[in-house]
Coordinates of all heavy atoms in Angstrom, one line a residue:
M206 N 280.0 122.9 276.9 CA 281.1 123.4 276.3 C 281.8 122.3 275.6 O 282.0 121.2 276.0 CB 282.1 124.0 277.4 CG 283.4 124.4 276.9 SD 284.5 125.1 278.1 CE 283.8 126.7 278.3
D207 N 282.3 122.6 274.4 CA 283.0 121.7 273.5 C 284.4 121.4 274.2 O 285.1 122.2 274.7 CB 283.3 122.3 272.2 CG 284.0 121.4 271.2 OD1 283.6 120.3 271.0 OD2 285.1 121.8 270.8
I208 N 284.8 120.1 274.1 CA 286.1 119.7 274.7 C 287.2 120.4 274.1 O 288.2 120.7 274.8 CB 286.2 118.1 274.7 CG1 285.2 117.5 275.6 CG2 287.6 117.7 275.0 CD1 285.3 116.0 275.7
Q209 N 287.2 120.6 272.8 CA 288.3 121.4 272.2 C 288.5 122.8 272.8 O 289.6 123.2 273.0 CB 288.1 121.5 270.6 CG 288.3 120.2 269.9 CD 289.8 119.7 270.0 OE1 290.7 120.5 270.2 NE2 290.0 118.5 270.0
H210 N 287.4 123.4 273.0 CA 287.4 124.7 273.6 C 288.0 124.6 275.1 O 288.8 125.5 275.5 CB 286.0 125.4 273.6 CG 286.1 126.8 274.2 ND1 285.5 127.1 275.4 CD2 286.6 127.9 273.7 CE1 285.7 128.4 275.6 NE2 286.3 128.9 274.6
A211 N 287.5 123.7 275.8 CA 288.0 123.5 277.2 C 289.5 123.2 277.2 O 290.2 123.7 278.0 CB 287.2 122.3 277.9
L212 N 289.9 122.3 276.2 CA 291.4 122.0 276.1 C 292.2 123.3 275.8 O 293.2 123.5 276.4 CB 291.6 121.0 275.0 CG 291.7 119.6 275.4 CD1 291.7 118.7 274.2 CD2 292.9 119.3 276.2
G213 N 291.7 124.1 274.9 CA 292.4 125.4 274.6 C 292.5 126.3 275.8 O 293.5 126.9 276.1
V214 N 291.4 126.4 276.6 CA 291.4 127.2 277.8 C 292.4 126.7 278.8 O 293.2 127.4 279.4 CB 290.0 127.4 278.4 CG1 290.0 128.0 279.8 CG2 289.1 128.1 277.4
A215 N 292.3 125.4 279.1 CA 293.2 124.7 280.1 C 294.7 124.9 279.7 O 295.5 125.1 280.5 CB 292.8 123.3 280.3
R216 N 295.0 124.7 278.4 CA 296.3 124.8 278.0 C 296.8 126.2 278.1 O 298.0 126.5 278.5 CB 296.5 124.3 276.5 CG 296.4 122.8 276.4 CD 296.5 122.3 275.0 NE 296.5 120.9 274.9 CZ 296.0 120.2 273.9 NH1 295.5 120.8 272.9 NH2 296.2 118.8 273.9
A217 N 296.0 127.2 277.7 CA 296.4 128.6 277.9 C 296.6 128.9 279.3 O 297.5 129.6 279.7 CB 295.3 129.5 277.3
D218 N 295.7 128.5 280.2 CA 295.9 128.7 281.7 C 297.2 128.1 282.2 O 297.9 128.7 283.0 CB 294.7 128.1 282.5 CG 293.5 129.0 282.4 OD1 293.5 130.1 281.9 OD2 292.4 128.6 282.9
A219 N 297.5 126.9 281.8 CA 298.7 126.2 282.2 C 300.0 127.0 281.7 O 300.9 127.2 282.5 CB 298.8 124.8 281.7
A220 N 299.9 127.5 280.5 CA 301.0 128.2 279.9 C 301.2 129.6 280.7 O 302.3 130.0 281.0 CB 300.8 128.5 278.4
H221 N 300.0 130.2 281.0 CA 300.1 131.5 281.7 C 300.6 131.3 283.1 O 301.5 132.0 283.6 CB 298.6 132.1 281.8 CG 298.6 133.3 282.6 ND1 298.0 133.4 283.8 CD2 299.0 134.6 282.3 CE1 298.1 134.6 284.3 NE2 298.7 135.4 283.3
L222 N 300.2 130.2 283.8 CA 300.7 129.9 285.1 C 302.2 129.6 285.1 O 303.0 130.1 285.9 CB 299.9 128.7 285.7 CG 300.2 128.3 287.1 CD1 299.9 129.4 288.1 CD2 299.3 127.0 287.4
S223 N 302.7 128.9 284.1 CA 304.1 128.6 283.9 C 304.9 129.8 283.7 O 306.0 130.0 284.3 CB 304.3 127.6 282.8 OG 305.6 127.3 282.6
R224 N 304.4 130.8 282.9 CA 305.1 132.0 282.7 C 305.2 132.9 283.9 O 306.2 133.5 284.3 CB 304.5 132.8 281.5 CG 304.7 132.2 280.2 CD 304.3 133.2 279.0 NE 302.9 133.6 279.2 CZ 301.8 132.9 278.7 NH1 302.0 131.7 278.0 NH2 300.6 133.3 278.8
Y225 N 304.0 132.9 284.7 CA 304.0 133.6 285.9 C 305.0 133.0 286.9 O 305.7 133.8 287.6 CB 302.6 133.5 286.5 CG 302.5 134.1 287.9 CD1 302.3 135.4 288.1 CD2 302.5 133.3 289.1 CE1 302.2 136.0 289.4 CE2 302.4 133.8 290.3 CZ 302.3 135.2 290.5 OH 302.2 135.7 291.7
M226 N 305.1 131.7 287.0 CA 306.1 131.1 287.9 C 307.5 131.4 287.5 O 308.4 131.7 288.4 CB 305.9 129.6 287.9 CG 304.6 129.2 288.6 SD 304.2 127.4 288.4 CE 305.5 126.6 289.3
D227 N 307.8 131.5 286.2 CA 309.1 131.9 285.8 C 309.5 133.3 286.1 O 310.6 133.6 286.6 CB 309.3 131.7 284.2 CG 309.3 130.2 283.8 OD1 309.6 129.4 284.7 OD2 309.0 130.0 282.6
R228 N 308.5 134.2 285.9 CA 308.7 135.6 286.3 C 308.9 135.8 287.8 O 309.8 136.5 288.2 CB 307.6 136.5 285.8 CG 307.5 136.7 284.3 CD 306.5 137.8 283.9 NE 305.2 137.6 284.5 CZ 304.2 136.9 284.0 NH1 304.3 136.3 282.9 NH2 303.0 136.9 284.7
R229 N 308.1 135.1 288.5 CA 308.2 135.1 290.0 C 309.5 134.6 290.5 O 310.1 135.2 291.4 CB 307.0 134.3 290.6 CG 306.9 134.4 292.1 CD 305.7 133.7 292.6 NE 305.6 133.9 294.0 CZ 306.3 133.2 294.9 NH1 307.1 132.3 294.5 NH2 306.1 133.4 296.2
E230 N 310.0 133.5 289.9 CA 311.3 133.0 290.3 C 312.4 134.0 290.0 O 313.3 134.2 290.9 CB 311.6 131.7 289.5 CG 312.8 131.0 290.0 CD 313.0 129.7 289.3 OE1 312.0 129.1 288.8 OE2 314.2 129.2 289.3
R231 N 312.4 134.7 288.9 CA 313.4 135.7 288.6 C 313.3 136.8 289.6 O 314.3 137.3 290.1 CB 313.3 136.2 287.2 CG 313.7 135.2 286.1 CD 313.8 135.8 284.7 NE 312.7 136.5 284.3 CZ 311.6 136.0 283.6 NH1 311.7 134.7 283.3 NH2 310.6 136.7 283.2
F232 N 312.1 137.2 289.9 CA 311.9 138.3 290.9 C 312.5 137.9 292.3 O 313.2 138.6 292.9 CB 310.4 138.7 291.1 CG 310.1 139.5 292.2 CD1 310.4 140.9 292.2 CD2 309.6 139.0 293.4 CE1 310.1 141.7 293.3 CE2 309.3 139.8 294.5 CZ 309.6 141.2 294.4
L233 N 312.1 136.7 292.7 CA 312.6 136.2 294.0 C 314.1 136.0 294.1 O 314.7 136.2 295.1 CB 311.9 134.9 294.4 CG 310.4 135.0 294.7 CD1 309.8 133.6 295.0 CD2 310.1 135.9 295.8
D234 N 314.7 135.7 292.9 CA 316.2 135.6 292.9 C 316.9 136.9 293.1 O 318.0 137.0 293.6 CB 316.6 135.0 291.5 CG 316.4 133.5 291.4 OD1 316.1 132.9 292.5 OD2 316.4 133.0 290.3
M235 N 316.2 138.0 292.7 CA 316.8 139.4 292.9 C 316.4 140.0 294.2 O 316.9 141.0 294.6 CB 316.3 140.3 291.8 CG 316.8 139.9 290.4 SD 316.3 141.0 289.1 CE 314.5 140.9 289.1
L236 N 315.5 139.3 295.0 CA 315.0 139.9 296.2 C 316.1 139.8 297.3 O 316.8 138.7 297.4 CB 313.7 139.1 296.6 CG 312.9 139.7 297.8 CD1 312.4 141.0 297.4 CD2 311.8 138.7 298.0
D237 N 316.2 140.8 298.2 CA 317.0 140.7 299.4 C 316.2 140.1 300.5 O 315.5 140.7 301.2 CB 317.5 142.1 299.7 CG 318.5 142.1 300.9 OD1 318.7 141.0 301.5 OD2 319.0 143.2 301.2
W238 N 316.4 138.7 300.6 CA 315.6 138.0 301.6 C 315.9 138.4 303.0 O 315.1 138.2 303.9 CB 315.9 136.5 301.4 CG 315.3 136.0 300.2 CD1 315.8 136.0 298.9 CD2 314.0 135.4 300.1 NE1 314.9 135.4 298.1 CE2 313.8 135.0 298.8 CE3 313.0 135.1 301.0 CZ2 312.6 134.4 298.3 CZ3 311.8 134.4 300.6 CH2 311.7 134.1 299.2
S239 N 317.0 139.1 303.3 CA 317.3 139.5 304.7 C 316.4 140.6 305.1 O 316.3 140.8 306.3 CB 318.8 139.9 304.8 OG 319.0 141.1 304.0
L240 N 315.7 141.3 304.2 CA 314.8 142.3 304.5 C 313.4 141.8 304.9 O 312.6 142.6 305.4 CB 314.7 143.4 303.4 CG 316.0 144.1 303.1 CD1 315.8 145.0 301.9 CD2 316.5 144.9 304.3
L241 N 313.1 140.6 304.6 CA 311.8 140.0 304.9 C 311.8 139.4 306.3 O 312.8 139.0 306.8 CB 311.5 138.8 303.9 CG 311.4 139.2 302.4 CD1 311.2 137.9 301.6 CD2 310.3 140.2 302.2
T242 N 310.6 139.5 306.8 CA 310.4 138.8 308.1 C 310.3 137.3 307.9 O 310.2 136.9 306.8 CB 309.1 139.3 308.8 OG1 308.0 138.8 308.0 CG2 309.0 140.8 308.9
E243 N 310.5 136.6 309.0 CA 310.4 135.1 308.9 C 309.0 134.7 308.3 O 308.9 133.8 307.5 CB 310.6 134.5 310.2 CG 310.6 133.0 310.2 CD 310.8 132.4 311.6 OE1 311.6 133.0 312.4 OE2 310.3 131.3 311.9
S244 N 308.0 135.4 308.7 CA 306.6 135.0 308.2 C 306.5 135.3 306.7 O 305.9 134.5 306.0 CB 305.6 135.9 309.0 OG 304.3 135.7 308.5
Q245 N 307.0 136.4 306.3 CA 307.0 136.7 304.8 C 307.8 135.7 304.0 O 307.3 135.3 303.0 CB 307.5 138.1 304.6 CG 306.6 139.2 305.1 CD 307.2 140.6 305.1 OE1 308.5 140.7 305.2 NE2 306.4 141.6 304.9
A246 N 308.9 135.3 304.5 CA 309.7 134.3 303.8 C 309.0 133.0 303.7 O 309.0 132.3 302.7 CB 311.1 134.2 304.4
R247 N 308.4 132.6 304.8 CA 307.6 131.3 304.9 C 306.5 131.4 303.9 O 306.2 130.4 303.2 CB 307.2 131.1 306.3 CG 306.4 129.7 306.4 CD 306.0 129.5 307.9 NE 305.6 130.6 308.6 CZ 304.3 131.1 308.6 NH1 303.4 130.6 307.8 NH2 304.0 132.2 309.3
Q248 N 305.7 132.5 303.9 CA 304.6 132.6 303.0 C 305.0 132.6 301.5 O 304.3 132.0 300.7 CB 303.8 133.9 303.3 CG 303.1 133.8 304.6 CD 302.4 135.1 305.0 OE1 302.6 136.1 304.4 NE2 301.7 135.1 306.1
A249 N 306.2 133.2 301.2 CA 306.7 133.2 299.8 C 307.0 131.7 299.4 O 306.7 131.3 298.3 CB 307.9 134.0 299.7
S250 N 307.5 130.9 300.3 CA 307.8 129.6 299.9 C 306.6 128.7 299.8 O 306.5 127.8 299.0 CB 308.8 128.9 300.9 OG 308.3 128.9 302.2
M251 N 305.6 129.0 300.7 CA 304.3 128.3 300.6 C 303.6 128.6 299.2 O 303.0 127.7 298.7 CB 303.4 128.8 301.7 CG 303.7 128.2 303.1 SD 302.8 128.9 304.5 CE 301.2 129.0 303.9
L252 N 303.7 129.8 298.7 CA 303.1 130.1 297.4 C 303.8 129.3 296.3 O 303.1 128.8 295.4 CB 303.2 131.6 297.1 CG 302.6 132.0 295.8 CD1 301.1 131.6 295.8 CD2 302.7 133.5 295.7
D253 N 305.1 129.1 296.4 CA 305.8 128.3 295.4 C 305.2 126.9 295.4 O 304.9 126.4 294.3 CB 307.3 128.1 295.8 CG 308.1 129.4 295.5 OD1 307.6 130.2 294.6 OD2 309.2 129.6 296.0
E254 N 304.9 126.3 296.5 CA 304.3 125.0 296.6 C 302.9 124.9 296.0 O 302.6 124.0 295.3 CB 304.3 124.4 298.0 CG 305.7 124.2 298.6 CD 305.7 123.8 300.0 OE1 304.6 123.4 300.5 OE2 306.8 123.9 300.7
L255 N 302.1 126.0 296.3 CA 300.8 126.0 295.8 C 300.8 126.2 294.3 O 300.0 125.6 293.6 CB 300.0 127.2 296.4 CG 299.7 127.1 297.9 CD1 299.2 128.4 298.5 CD2 298.6 126.0 298.1
L256 N 301.7 127.0 293.8 CA 301.7 127.2 292.3 C 302.2 125.9 291.6 O 301.6 125.6 290.5 CB 302.7 128.4 292.0 CG 302.2 129.7 292.4 CD1 303.3 130.8 292.2 CD2 301.0 130.1 291.6
E257 N 303.1 125.2 292.2 CA 303.6 123.9 291.6 C 302.4 122.9 291.6 O 302.2 122.2 290.6 CB 304.8 123.4 292.4 CG 306.0 124.2 292.1 CD 307.2 123.8 293.1 OE1 307.0 122.8 293.9 OE2 308.2 124.5 293.1
D258 N 301.6 122.9 292.7 CA 300.5 122.0 292.8 C 299.5 122.4 291.7 O 298.9 121.5 291.1 CB 299.8 122.1 294.2 CG 300.7 121.4 295.2 OD1 301.6 120.6 294.9 OD2 300.4 121.6 296.4
D259 N 299.2 123.7 291.5 CA 298.3 124.2 290.5 C 298.7 123.8 289.1 O 297.9 123.3 288.3 CB 298.1 125.7 290.6 CG 297.3 126.2 291.8 OD1 296.7 125.3 292.5 OD2 297.3 127.4 292.0
L260 N 300.0 123.9 288.8 CA 300.5 123.5 287.5 C 300.4 122.0 287.3 O 300.0 121.6 286.2 CB 301.9 124.0 287.4 CG 302.5 123.9 285.9 CD1 301.7 124.7 284.9 CD2 304.0 124.4 285.9
A261 N 300.7 121.2 288.3 CA 300.5 119.8 288.2 C 299.0 119.4 288.0 O 298.7 118.5 287.2 CB 301.1 119.1 289.4
A262 N 298.2 120.1 288.7 CA 296.7 119.8 288.6 C 296.3 120.2 287.2 O 295.4 119.5 286.6 CB 295.9 120.6 289.6
A263 N 296.8 121.3 286.6 CA 296.4 121.7 285.3 C 296.8 120.6 284.3 O 296.1 120.3 283.3 CB 297.0 123.0 284.9
G264 N 298.0 120.0 284.4 CA 298.5 119.0 283.6 C 297.6 117.7 283.6 O 297.3 117.1 282.6
R265 N 297.2 117.4 284.8 CA 296.3 116.2 285.0 C 295.0 116.5 284.4 O 294.4 115.6 283.7 CB 296.2 115.9 286.5 CG 297.4 115.2 287.1 CD 297.2 114.7 288.5 NE 296.7 115.7 289.4 CZ 297.4 116.5 290.2 NH1 298.7 116.4 290.1 NH2 296.9 117.4 291.0
Y266 N 294.5 117.7 284.5 CA 293.2 118.1 283.9 C 293.2 118.0 282.4 O 292.3 117.5 281.7 CB 292.8 119.5 284.4 CG 291.4 119.9 283.9 CD1 290.3 119.2 284.2 CD2 291.4 121.1 283.1 CE1 289.1 119.7 283.7 CE2 290.1 121.5 282.6 CZ 289.0 120.8 282.9 OH 287.8 121.3 282.4
I267 N 294.3 118.5 281.8 CA 294.5 118.5 280.4 C 294.5 117.0 279.9 O 293.9 116.6 278.9 CB 295.8 119.2 279.9 CG1 295.6 120.7 280.1 CG2 296.1 118.9 278.5 CD1 296.8 121.6 280.0
D268 N 295.3 116.1 280.6 CA 295.3 114.7 280.3 C 293.9 114.1 280.4 O 293.5 113.3 279.5 CB 296.2 114.0 281.2 CG 297.7 114.3 281.0 OD1 298.0 114.9 279.9 OD2 298.5 114.0 281.9
W269 N 293.1 114.5 281.4 CA 291.8 114.0 281.5 C 290.9 114.4 280.4 O 290.1 113.6 279.8 CB 291.2 114.4 282.9 CG 289.8 114.0 283.1 CD1 289.3 112.8 283.5 CD2 288.6 114.8 282.9 NE1 288.0 112.8 283.6 CE2 287.5 114.0 283.2 CE3 288.4 116.1 282.4 CZ2 286.2 114.4 283.1 CZ3 287.1 116.5 282.3 CH2 286.0 115.7 282.6
L270 N 291.0 115.7 280.0 CA 290.2 116.2 278.8 C 290.6 115.4 277.6 O 289.7 115.0 276.8 CB 290.5 117.7 278.6 CG 289.8 118.6 279.7 CD1 290.3 120.0 279.5 CD2 288.3 118.5 279.6
I271 N 291.9 115.2 277.3 CA 292.3 114.4 276.1 C 291.7 113.0 276.2 O 291.2 112.5 275.2 CB 293.8 114.4 276.0 CG1 294.3 115.8 275.7 CG2 294.3 113.4 275.0 CD1 295.8 116.0 275.8
D272 N 291.8 112.4 277.3 CA 291.2 111.0 277.5 C 289.7 111.0 277.2 O 289.2 110.1 276.5 CB 291.6 110.5 278.9 CG 291.1 109.1 279.1 OD1 291.4 108.2 278.3 OD2 290.3 108.9 280.0
R273 N 289.1 112.0 277.8 CA 287.6 112.1 277.6 C 287.3 112.3 276.2 O 286.3 111.8 275.6 CB 287.0 113.2 278.5 CG 285.5 113.2 278.4 CD 284.9 114.1 279.4 NE 283.5 114.3 279.1 CZ 282.6 114.7 279.9 NH1 282.9 115.1 281.1 NH2 281.4 114.8 279.5
Q274 N 288.0 113.1 275.5 CA 287.8 113.4 274.1 C 287.9 112.2 273.2 O 287.1 111.9 272.3 CB 288.8 114.5 273.6 CG 288.6 114.8 272.2 CD 289.7 115.8 271.7 OE1 290.8 115.9 272.3 NE2 289.4 116.6 270.7
T275 N 288.9 111.3 273.5 CA 289.1 110.1 272.8 C 288.0 109.1 273.1 O 287.7 108.2 272.2 CB 290.4 109.4 273.0 OG1 290.6 109.2 274.4 CG2 291.6 110.4 272.6
R276 N 287.4 109.1 274.2 CA 286.3 108.2 274.6 C 285.0 108.6 274.1 O 284.3 107.8 273.4 CB 286.2 108.0 276.1 CG 287.3 107.1 276.7 CD 287.2 106.9 278.2 NE 287.5 108.1 278.9 CZ 286.6 108.7 279.7 NH1 285.4 108.2 280.0 NH2 286.9 109.8 280.4
D277 N 284.5 109.8 274.4 CA 283.1 110.1 274.0 C 282.9 111.5 273.4 O 281.9 111.7 272.8 CB 282.2 109.9 275.2 CG 282.5 110.8 276.4 OD1 283.3 111.7 276.2 OD2 282.0 110.5 277.5
N278 N 283.8 112.4 273.6 CA 283.7 113.7 273.0 C 282.4 114.4 273.4 O 281.9 115.2 272.6 CB 284.0 113.7 271.5 CG 284.4 115.1 271.0 OD1 284.9 115.9 271.8 ND2 284.3 115.3 269.7
A279 N 281.8 114.1 274.5 CA 280.6 114.7 274.9 C 280.8 116.1 275.5 O 281.9 116.4 276.0 CB 279.9 113.9 276.0
P280 N 279.9 117.0 275.3 CA 280.1 118.4 275.8 C 280.3 118.4 277.3 O 279.8 117.5 278.1 CB 278.8 119.1 275.5 CG 278.1 118.2 274.5 CD 278.6 116.8 274.7
L281 N 281.0 119.4 277.8 CA 281.3 119.6 279.2 C 280.4 120.7 279.8 O 280.0 121.6 279.0 CB 282.7 120.0 279.4 CG 283.8 119.0 278.9 CD1 285.2 119.7 279.0 CD2 283.8 117.8 279.8
P282 N 280.0 120.7 281.0 CA 279.2 121.8 281.6 C 280.1 123.0 281.8 O 279.5 124.1 281.9 CB 278.8 121.2 283.0 CG 279.8 120.1 283.3 CD 280.3 119.6 282.0
G283 N 281.4 122.9 281.8 CA 282.3 124.1 282.0 C 283.7 123.7 281.9 O 284.0 122.5 281.5
V284 N 284.6 124.5 282.3 CA 286.0 124.2 282.3 C 286.6 124.7 283.6 O 286.2 125.8 284.1 CB 286.7 124.9 281.0 CG1 286.6 126.4 281.1 CG2 288.1 124.4 280.9
M285 N 287.6 123.9 284.1 CA 288.3 124.4 285.3 C 289.3 125.4 284.8 O 289.9 125.4 283.8 CB 289.1 123.2 285.9 CG 288.2 122.2 286.7 SD 289.2 120.9 287.3 CE 290.3 121.7 288.4
R286 N 289.5 126.4 285.7 CA 290.5 127.5 285.4 C 291.7 127.4 286.3 O 291.5 127.1 287.5 CB 289.8 128.9 285.5 CG 288.6 129.1 284.6 CD 288.9 129.0 283.1 NE 290.0 129.7 282.6 CZ 290.0 130.9 282.0 NH1 288.8 131.5 281.9 NH2 291.1 131.5 281.6
F287 N 292.8 127.7 285.8 CA 294.1 127.7 286.6 C 294.8 129.0 286.3 O 295.3 129.3 285.2 CB 295.0 126.5 286.1 CG 294.4 125.2 286.3 CD1 293.6 124.6 285.3 CD2 294.5 124.5 287.6 CE1 293.1 123.3 285.5 CE2 293.9 123.3 287.8 CZ 293.2 122.7 286.7
A288 N 294.8 129.8 287.3 CA 295.4 131.2 287.2 C 296.1 131.5 288.5 O 295.6 131.1 289.6 CB 294.3 132.2 286.9
P289 N 297.1 132.3 288.5 CA 297.9 132.6 289.7 C 297.2 133.7 290.5 O 297.8 134.8 290.6 CB 299.3 133.0 289.1 CG 299.0 133.6 287.8 CD 297.8 132.7 287.3
Y290 N 296.0 133.5 290.9 CA 295.3 134.5 291.6 C 296.0 134.7 293.0 O 296.6 133.8 293.5 CB 293.8 134.1 291.9 CG 293.0 134.1 290.6 CD1 292.4 132.9 290.2 CD2 292.8 135.2 289.9 CE1 291.7 132.8 289.1 CE2 292.1 135.2 288.7 CZ 291.5 134.0 288.3 OH 290.8 133.9 287.2
P291 N 295.9 135.9 293.5 CA 296.5 136.2 294.8 C 296.0 135.3 295.9 O 294.8 135.0 295.9 CB 296.2 137.6 295.1 CG 295.9 138.2 293.8 CD 295.3 137.1 293.0
R292 N 296.8 134.8 296.8 CA 296.4 134.0 297.9 C 295.9 134.9 299.0 O 296.2 136.1 299.0 CB 297.5 133.1 298.4 CG 298.1 132.3 297.3 CD 297.1 131.3 296.7 NE 297.9 130.5 295.7 CZ 297.3 129.7 294.9 NH1 296.0 129.5 294.9 NH2 298.0 129.0 294.0
P293 N 295.2 134.4 300.0 CA 294.6 135.3 301.0 C 295.7 136.2 301.7 O 295.4 137.3 302.1 CB 294.0 134.3 302.0 CG 293.7 133.1 301.2 CD 294.8 133.1 300.2
W294 N 296.9 135.7 301.9 CA 297.9 136.5 302.7 C 298.5 137.6 301.8 O 299.2 138.5 302.3 CB 299.0 135.6 303.2 CG 299.7 134.8 302.2 CD1 300.7 135.3 301.4 CD2 299.5 133.5 301.9 NE1 301.1 134.3 300.6 CE2 300.4 133.1 300.9 CE3 298.6 132.5 302.4 CZ2 300.5 131.9 300.3 CZ3 298.7 131.2 301.9 CH2 299.6 130.9 300.8
H295 N 298.2 137.7 300.5 CA 298.7 138.7 299.7 C 298.2 140.1 300.1 O 298.9 141.1 300.0 CB 298.4 138.5 298.2 CG 299.3 137.4 297.6 ND1 299.1 136.9 296.4 CD2 300.4 136.8 298.1 CE1 300.0 136.0 296.1 NE2 300.8 135.9 297.2
A296 N 297.0 140.1 300.5 CA 296.4 141.4 301.0 C 297.2 142.0 302.1 O 297.4 143.2 302.2 CB 294.9 141.2 301.4
E297 N 297.7 141.1 303.0 CA 298.5 141.5 304.1 C 299.9 142.1 303.6 O 300.3 143.1 304.1 CB 298.8 140.4 305.0 CG 299.7 140.7 306.2 CD 300.1 139.5 307.0 OE1 299.2 138.6 307.3 OE2 301.2 139.3 307.4
W298 N 300.5 141.5 302.6 CA 301.7 142.0 302.0 C 301.5 143.3 301.3 O 302.3 144.2 301.5 CB 302.2 141.0 301.0 CG 302.9 139.8 301.5 CD1 302.7 139.2 302.7 CD2 304.0 139.1 300.9 NE1 303.5 138.1 302.9 CE2 304.3 138.1 301.8 CE3 304.7 139.3 299.8 CZ2 305.4 137.2 301.5 CZ3 305.7 138.4 299.5 CH2 306.1 137.3 300.3
I299 N 300.4 143.5 300.6 CA 300.1 144.8 300.0 C 300.0 145.9 301.0 O 300.5 147.0 300.8 CB 298.9 144.6 299.1 CG1 299.2 143.7 297.9 CG2 298.4 146.0 298.6 CD1 298.0 143.3 297.1
T300 N 299.3 145.5 302.1 CA 299.1 146.5 303.2 C 300.5 146.9 303.8 O 300.8 148.0 304.1 CB 298.2 146.0 304.3 OG1 297.0 145.6 303.7 CG2 298.0 147.0 305.4
L301 N 301.4 145.9 304.0 CA 302.7 146.1 304.6 C 303.6 147.0 303.7 O 304.4 147.8 304.1 CB 303.4 144.8 304.9 CG 302.7 144.0 306.0 CD1 303.4 142.6 306.1 CD2 302.8 144.7 307.4
A302 N 303.4 146.8 302.4 CA 304.3 147.5 301.4 C 303.9 148.9 301.2 O 304.7 149.7 300.8 CB 304.2 146.7 300.0
A303 N 302.6 149.2 301.5 CA 302.1 150.6 301.3 C 302.6 151.6 302.3 O 303.2 151.4 303.3 CB 300.6 150.6 301.3

């Protein structure tokens, strides 16, 4: 895979993740936290940390791609993806909401 293509994918993923985090923050600000169980509130805060870590990792990956591009511009075997996929406990939340 061409580094330019990988950079485009990584930057798009980082932007998508950032927009997701903004929308999620607005949603959580409107949420009545008193209706959540302690476990649900803890899991919601854990997801915030995971998303922040993912966004930071995406930034480091983009920097690495830029550095690699300036050094050798060799093709890559693939590209890392950063997307706000549901975490394992989301299935439990969906079940509880139904």
